[in-house]
Amino acid sequence: MTDPRDPDFPAPPPPAPGGGLAARAMAARPMPYLDGLNPAQRAAVEALDGPVLMLAGAGTGKTRALTARIAHLLVMGKAYPSQILAVTFTNKAAREMKHRIGGLLGETVEGMRWLGTFHAICVKMLRRHAELVGLKSNFTILDTDDQIRLLKQVILAAGMDEKRWPARQLAGLIDGWKNRALAPAQVRGADAAAFGNRGSELYAAYQERLLTLNAVDFGDLLLHMVTILRDHPDVLAEYHRKLRYILVDEYQDTNVAQYLWLRLLAQGHRNVCCVGDDDQSIYGWRGAEVGNILRFEKDFPGAQVIRLEQNYRSGPHILAAASGLISANSGRLGKTLWTAETEGEKVRLIGHWDGDEEARWIGDEIEALARGDRAPGRVGLDGQAILVRASHQMRAFEDRFLTIGLPYRVIGGPRFYERLEIRDAMAYFRLAVSPADDLAFDRIYNTPKRGLGEKARQTIQHIARDAGVSLLDGAALAVQSGAIKGKGAAALRLLVEQLARWHAAVLSGVSHIEIAEAILDESSYTAMWQADPAPEAAGRLENLKELIKALEGFDNLQGFLEHVALIMDNETETDEAKVSIMTLHAAKGLEFPVVFLPGWEDGLFPSQRAMDESGLRGLEEERRLAYVGITRAERLCTITFAGNRRLYGQWQSALPSRFIDELPEDHVEVLTPPGLYGGGYGAAGMAFGRALGNAGDSTLETRAARADAYNSPGWQRMAGAAAKATTRPLSTPREARGLVIDAQAAAAFDTGARVFHQKFGYGTVTGAEGDKLSIHFDKAGDKHVVARFLVAAEDAGDVSF
DNA sequence: TCGCTCTCTGTTTTT
DNA sequence: CAGAGAGCGA
């Protein structure tokens, strides 16, 4: 690290502050990036020295200010590119930043080698100091899948039943501890009691295994670096000297480990600029601490706090609706977003009978907007997005859009590098690069099928452990010694030989693309999928081709594997205009002219589970999520809810989200669908009062019902409970009410009665079973329907369906 | 060892 | 309901 030619720190010593170089730089270089900045943005760009907290509301030009600030640092001669540490959470954000700095300066900035995600930067650092935590610098990075497999082994080795003690749960605990920068010995209190009192013991065993494998998981990247910086002042001092300016994006999302890491690095020169928005903190459930941003001023006394409050994205009603909603949260740093825009659409609100109808209506609206038949004017499919709370909500839209032929794209679905075939192929590549990668060997030794089962696996493992060698070497020994016999032995011998050959090829510098192709071909992996008659096999072969194509962007397999371990995004090819469907979480940082926010029902959004597990804190995070959703919209935002939804195969009814009541009325336009609010639908119908426009009279009942929902156990448990309700006393008021309504409703119809159903139309009652009625519908045929969803046919007239 | 059937369990997700 | 994983029979 002291080598002046160190590629990580290529710059000559820093320029004299304020002196000749800076002056010359200023004279010589224009600062076009300052043009058009508003006063707050400009202040944020120019306050280069000392701690700065930039509170940047949604759509206030945060990225612009951040990138301009970096450009300014460079132009002012404050630092060379290599002396700026700029941290983001996602690779996408890092890429965008790099790209935009280049744009501002009119040249590509090559030297910014400390611009990247927390994880990518930590990898780079950790490779330099790996030995300080007992690793070698070529350690491998395990993804979640590897992590789970390893934990399973650890649990098994501890003599625990992996069924009762699922590895996933332990992974969650360990991740949580690592997020909080806790080493096994520091796990205390309730945490220590977790996992049958053996949580920290297993955590320790897992860490042990990781070191033996020369591997780290994602959490370790931060944890190890915090340990190193904390325990080795010389290393820390080096970074203090070299990294003169620190910038952090999305500061509200940092967890404790990231916070400690930053604080250690920043405490030298205190030139740290954190950018964030406490109102957009939506990752508390995975360890983010809003507290980090809330106490910035305490951590860095004398910090300048700069608020970016002018919003350039959304129309005035959208902004006002979002602001009104978020004002229900407590403990905010407080910002007042405003916009120069005066014209714009109100936020639209509409309720639907069920999830299918919601999907149908949104599909129609999207088409209408694409035709130009709606208020803000024509908006193409690319400009429209549906943001859902939970991914299972996507299904209704996909089904609907497939039937009407509306092109859509799901963002954040199964990622390319997480696919089975890609992971298999990657395991082969990993073994070719590092023959001692036991996890990779474990994955592919019998893929494609080589006639090696559990028994062979154990044999290899024992031999390897006894000899103290890798699984691959153990396999070689097993074949030699005849410990594995029969057709499996021949196949295993071949595999061992092949891997040796591929490894030699890697070492001798054969083109990595050739090697990769040879591996997939000679291992018969490709052949395996070619022979597979399953419909998805073709797609998998396509993916493998794409994998090979992706290799072209790299110099060698090592570089590629390194990249993939940290970068799990899939840039989807996009030529055709499509509607985007994604979760609210995935939408953070994006914007669309038109946004649909479906599923605003209590229990779904806000999520019952978030409230059960985290109480008021959980509710507030849900509210921030709602805020993020609304503020994604530029011109039109539509919120919808459904009275009934199918969840795990069962119909559930729900109340409209409490967030709906929190929207300021003046900025909301209620679209009342014909016929839905005739009343008499029980719980769902009652709470639609607000949407009907008769606010006030229903609020008491609505509030009481909400209180039930808030206090009741989790909604999925309730699904089960409702199913068993006939044999068990009713426990929750909500559950009881639903059944009472059903029972009353069922009793209200006699056999032969004419009824009307929102979806199936007119029909005749043919029988009753408990709370359900058998109906012969004139058009839809025979169905079993919960009585509450029916209206007597003669009443249907008033309701104008 | 393979493949079928049964049982269970279902937010949000980046790296 | 639907996907994953375990368990059992061939």
Side-chain angles (χ1 to χ4, degrees):
Chain A
M1 191 144 162
T2 43
D3 182 353
R5 285 161 308 171
D6 187 329
D8 289 332
F9 298 104
L21 179 56
R24 257 182 296 132
M26 283 174 71
R29 304 192 58 179
M31 297 183 242
Y33 51 85
L34 293 178
D35 295 344
L37 293 181
N38 66 39
Q41 288 173 326
R42 185 151 180 155
V45 170
E46 292 181 332
L48 295 180
D49 293 298
V52 174
L53 177 62
M54 199 196 302
L55 289 176
T60 55
K62 166 196 78 167
T63 309
R64 181 154 182 220
L66 201 49
T67 49
R69 188 182 163 92
I70 293 176
H72 200 48
L73 278 172
L74 297 173
V75 169
M76 293 292 287
K78 289 280 188 180
Y80 286 94
S82 65
Q83 295 171 321
I84 298 173
L85 173 65
V87 199
T88 65
F89 272 83
T90 64
N91 292 294
K92 200 171 146 201
R95 250 193 329 264
E96 159 115 0
M97 201 179 289
K98 203 170 269 182
H99 177 76
R100 285 177 66 167
I101 295 168
L104 289 178
L105 295 176
E107 63 201 66
T108 33
V109 185
E110 280 306 327
M112 291 220 41
R113 51 201 66 223
W114 297 102
L115 187 164
T117 63
F118 276 99
H119 296 267
I121 290 171
C122 281
V123 172
K124 191 175 258 189
M125 290 184 171
L126 190 54
R127 293 224 187 269
R128 304 165 64 93
H129 316 289
E131 75 289 351
L132 296 178
V133 285
L135 289 162
K136 287 181 272 172
S137 89
N138 64 347
F139 59 80
T140 44
I141 303 162
L142 305 189
D143 61 26
T144 328
D145 214 73
D146 296 323
Q147 194 190 6
I148 301 273
R149 288 154 158 268
L150 198 54
L151 280 171
K152 232 176 226 167
Q153 295 175 17
V154 170
I155 290 169
L156 233 47
M160 293 173 88
D161 177 11
E162 56 171 335
K163 194 132 192 191
R164 227 186 114 199
W165 303 106
R168 286 198 70 76
Q169 193 195 333
L170 184 59
L173 286 167
I174 291 178
D175 277 347
W177 293 328
K178 289 185 176 175
N179 285 340
R180 283 151 57 200
L182 297 177
Q186 298 168 305
V187 174
R188 301 267 153 68
D191 290 315
F195 221 70
N197 267 326
R198 302 184 69 181
S200 57
E201 172 200 335
L202 292 171
Y203 177 18
Y206 169 66
Q207 292 305 101
E208 193 88 354
R209 284 287 290 142
L210 284 172
L211 285 187
T212 328
L213 288 165
N214 191 32
V216 298
D217 63 21
F218 287 122
D220 281 337
L221 293 172
L222 261 302
L223 186 58
H224 283 321
M225 275 320 297
V226 169
T227 310
I228 290 170
L229 296 177
R230 190 196 274 151
D231 299 347
H232 298 272
D234 52 321
V235 175
L236 181 61
E238 189 75 40
Y239 283 109
H240 282 168
R241 262 200 311 285
K242 304 283 188 164
L243 300 172
R244 300 167 64 88
Y245 288 86
I246 298 179
L247 296 96
V248 189
D249 195 13
E250 306 281 13
Y251 188 61
Q252 77 283 350
D253 287 338
T254 48
N255 61 34
V256 172
Q258 288 158 339
Y259 166 79
L260 292 173
W261 181 81
L262 279 170
R263 214 178 55 177
L264 280 162
L265 288 170
Q267 93 206 160
H269 41 65
R270 300 184 5 116
N271 292 325
V272 55
C273 172
C274 291
V275 186
D277 180 359
D278 49 319
D279 291 333
Q280 292 188 65
S281 164
I282 55 173
Y283 285 106
W285 51 274
R286 82 179 188 212
E289 292 277 340
V290 212
N292 291 347
I293 194 167
L294 298 177
R295 69 160 179 256
F296 183 85
E297 291 177 79
K298 277 192 200 124
D299 288 331
F300 297 98
Q304 290 188 63
V305 179
I306 296 169
R307 288 180 159 77
L308 303 192
E309 298 179 305
Q310 182 175 3
N311 175 292
Y312 296 97
R313 179 188 295 156
S314 307
H317 289 300
I318 294 170
L319 204 57
S323 300
L325 177 72
I326 199 66
S327 68
N329 270 8
S330 57
R332 301 169 56 219
L333 287 171
K335 293 178 303 303
T336 316
L337 291 193
W338 61 279
T339 173
E341 291 296 318
T342 52
E343 299 290 305
E345 298 302 313
K346 287 188 175 183
V347 170
R348 303 190 301 169
L349 173 66
I350 183 167
H352 294 285
W353 176 252
D354 63 17
D356 292 338
E357 196 194 300
E358 178 183 61
R360 202 174 321 137
W361 185 84
I362 289 181
D364 291 348
E365 284 295 299
I366 289 170
E367 289 184 325
L369 280 155
R371 282 193 307 266
D373 292 351
R374 285 294 178 274
R378 208 194 87 81
V379 177
L381 296 182
D382 272 336
Q384 304 194 47
I386 300 170
L387 313 183
V388 296
R389 174 64 182 85
S391 49
H392 64 72
Q393 288 173 263
M394 293 180 180
R395 174 114 189 243
F397 293 101
E398 294 196 55
D399 285 352
R400 179 65 189 161
F401 295 173
L402 282 172
T403 54
I404 63 175
L406 181 64
Y408 68 90
R409 125 186 71 220
V410 171
I411 310 247
R415 276 174 282 273
F416 184 72
Y417 291 111
E418 280 172 8
R419 286 162 209 230
L420 176 86
E421 67 278 14
I422 300 303
R423 295 183 50 81
D424 285 343
M426 300 281 298
Y428 272 102
F429 299 166
R430 273 160 63 183
L431 273 172
V433 172
S434 337
D437 192 330
D438 285 355
L439 286 165
F441 182 85
D442 206 41
R443 184 175 182 100
I444 55 88
Y445 75 96
N446 195 32
T447 307
K449 299 268 185 286
R450 296 189 171 87
L452 300 163
E454 189 51 31
K455 214 178 111 229
R457 176 177 190 249
Q458 300 218 335
T459 309
I460 295 171
Q461 245 171 15
H462 280 135
I463 291 176
R465 192 177 315 156
D466 292 346
V469 296
S470 68
L471 287 182
L472 177 56
D473 289 341
L477 287 175
V479 173
Q480 273 168 26
S481 67
I484 290 178
K485 299 184 231 19
K487 97 175 163 65
L492 188 57
R493 163 166 295 151
L494 178 63
L495 178 67
V496 169
E497 283 168 10
Q498 285 174 327
L499 281 168
R501 207 170 63 240
W502 297 327
H503 181 56
V506 169
L507 292 180
S508 69
V510 176
S511 141
H512 61 292
I513 296 178
E514 271 175 43
I515 297 175
E517 282 172 337
I519 289 174
L520 294 185
D521 185 36
E522 292 168 20
S523 64
S524 305
Y525 190 74
T526 316
M528 174 182 99
W529 290 116
Q530 279 163 348
D532 192 325
E536 68 267 20
R540 297 195 192 272
L541 286 165
E542 275 303 304
N543 289 335
L544 289 172
K545 265 190 211 150
E546 251 185 71
L547 180 68
I548 298 287
K549 233 176 36 207
L551 283 170
E552 287 169 12
F554 294 83
D555 298 334
N556 52 48
L557 274 182
Q558 291 93 319
F560 178 72
L561 293 172
E562 170 89 327
H563 169 88
V564 169
L566 289 174
I567 302 195
M568 296 292 247
D569 56 4
N570 59 357
E571 292 294 279
T572 37
E573 74 311 325
T574 167
D575 18 81
E576 193 191 358
K578 292 172 177 165
V579 180
S580 300
I581 307 175
M582 70 191 89
T583 63
L584 286 160
H585 285 92
K588 195 168 81 163
L590 304 179
E591 56 188 8
F592 299 91
V594 170
V595 167
F596 291 91
L597 302 170
W600 280 43
E601 296 124 41
D602 253 39
L604 178 59
F605 189 38
S607 135
Q608 186 64 49
R609 184 157 164 188
M611 295 186 293
D612 286 348
E613 286 176 4
S614 314
L616 186 62
R617 231 185 56 232
L619 177 64
E620 295 208 338
E621 180 154 313
E622 295 287 301
R623 192 177 282 115
R624 291 193 292 269
L625 202 46
Y627 173 80
V628 166
I630 296 171
T631 54
R632 297 310 96 195
E634 295 167 2
R635 296 160 67 190
L636 184 66
C637 176
T638 308
I639 293 168
T640 74
F641 57 93
N644 302 285
R645 215 172 267 286
R646 237 154 101 129
L647 186 64
Y648 310 139
Q650 274 184 323
W651 283 98
Q652 308 259 146
S653 57
L655 303 168
S657 171
R658 67 193 70 193
F659 296 152
I660 287 174
D661 279 348
E662 295 171 5
L663 296 169
E665 271 182 73
D666 294 348
H667 304 286
V668 176
E669 177 192 4
V670 177
L671 311 178
T672 306
L676 186 59
Y677 305 121
Y681 290 116
M686 295 307 297
F688 287 8
R690 169 64 203 292
L692 259 175
N694 58 349
D697 52 280
S698 75
T699 32
L700 205 65
E701 167 124 3
T702 308
R703 278 204 195 120
R706 294 240 172 84
D708 297 350
Y710 186 80
N711 294 325
S712 64
W715 47 312
Q716 45 259 37
R717 261 169 290 144
M718 191 138 44
K724 283 181 234 137
T726 42
T727 59
R728 184 183 68 71
L730 299 166
S731 57
T732 73
R734 190 173 173 203
E735 187 185 324
R737 190 182 50 216
L739 285 175
V740 169
I741 289 164
D742 288 345
Q744 284 171 350
F749 297 105
D750 298 325
T751 304
R754 288 288 288 168
V755 292
F756 182 87
H757 185 277
Q758 170 75 11
K759 197 161 156 195
F760 303 133
Y762 288 92
T764 308
V765 177
T766 57
E769 301 159 28
D771 59 337
K772 287 215 181 121
L773 292 168
S774 311
I775 316 281
H776 178 79
F777 287 103
D778 302 349
K779 295 206 173 110
D782 290 310
K783 306 263 178 208
H784 289 264
V785 182
V786 177
R788 133 171 65 114
F789 298 167
L790 294 165
V791 187
E794 51 272 24
D795 297 341
D798 324 349
V799 210
S800 66
F801 277 99

